[in-house]
Each structure stands twice: as C-alpha cells, then as structure tokens.
C-alpha cells in the first residue's frame, strides 16, 4: 500500500460569452510502505506523478458547465514497469456553479 500526497491547481478564465478556458497542473507523491516478511522490488519506494492540462468550457444558462479536456500525465518510478507517460482526453460537466 502507499500514502498519496500531492496537489492539483487550476485557473479558469472566461474568454467571451459563455466560453472559457482552463489550465491545470498537479503533482503527487506515492510513498509505498514496506510490509514485514514480504519481498518488495525496492525498499522505501517513492513514485512521483505529474499532470498538466487544459480545457475549453461552455457555460449554459442553467448553472451548468460542459468542458472538453486534454491532460498529459507521467509517472516516474524506481520500478521500471511502473513508469508511464501519456495523454488523457475527456469531457466533463459541473452543475450548480
């Protein structure tokens, strides 16, 4: 198991009319805990993740926001097969703004 600590920050700016843009970034630290009598690949392992992204949103008249997002995520680990980097695309909605 691991203890996850980190942060995510975002900034959003209305561009014109109901449209806005958003920028995001985040970092996380995964501090793995070693168990007694269990073999682990790396003792005291700590992995790090980073996320950067942007989105375009449309604010409807009934307090709802619909956005399209693109994020770049990466993970750095001392265990080689746990490293990754890739893109994530998605659509989200928020209500009650």
């Amino acid at each position: 198991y691991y203890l996850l600590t980190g942060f995510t920050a975002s900034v959003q700016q209305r561009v014109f009319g109901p449209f806005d843009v958003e920028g995001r970034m985040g970092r996380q630290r995964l501090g793995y805990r070693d168990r007694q009598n269990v073999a682990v690949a790396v003792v005291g392992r700590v992995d790090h993740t980073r996320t950067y992204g942007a989105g375009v949103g449309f604010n409807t008249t009934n307090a709802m926001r619909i956005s399209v997002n693109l994020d770049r995520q990466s993970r750095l680990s001392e265990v080689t097969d746990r490293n990754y980097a890739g893109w994530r695309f998605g659509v989200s909605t928020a209500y009650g703004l």
Side-chain angles (χ1 to χ4, degrees):
Y1 71 98
Y2 58 87
L3 175 64
L4 176 69
T5 55
F7 73 93
T8 302
S10 65
V11 176
Q12 189 178 73
Q13 176 66 45
R14 180 91 37 126
V15 179
F16 62 92
F19 295 96
D20 62 46
V21 293
E22 179 181 13
R24 285 179 299 285
M25 72 169 290
R27 292 186 181 216
Q28 294 179 328
R29 179 182 184 273
L30 292 82
Y32 285 85
R33 303 296 182 239
D34 301 331
R35 293 176 35 197
Q36 291 182 342
N37 304 320
V38 175
V40 294
V42 177
V43 176
R45 177 175 141 206
V46 177
D47 292 359
H48 298 273
T49 66
R50 291 182 182 182
T51 303
Y52 302 96
V56 177
F58 176 78
N59 297 278
T60 67
T61 57
N62 59 355
M64 185 167 71
R65 179 176 184 265
I66 301 168
S67 64
V68 176
N69 304 299
L70 182 64
D71 294 316
R72 174 74 174 172
Q73 294 183 313
S74 63
R75 178 176 175 167
L76 180 61
S77 176
E78 296 176 69
V79 179
T80 307
D81 65 348
R82 297 293 184 209
N83 290 318
Y84 63 80
W87 293 94
R88 182 171 67 175
F89 172 80
V91 177
S92 66
T93 60
Y95 182 76
L97 304 172

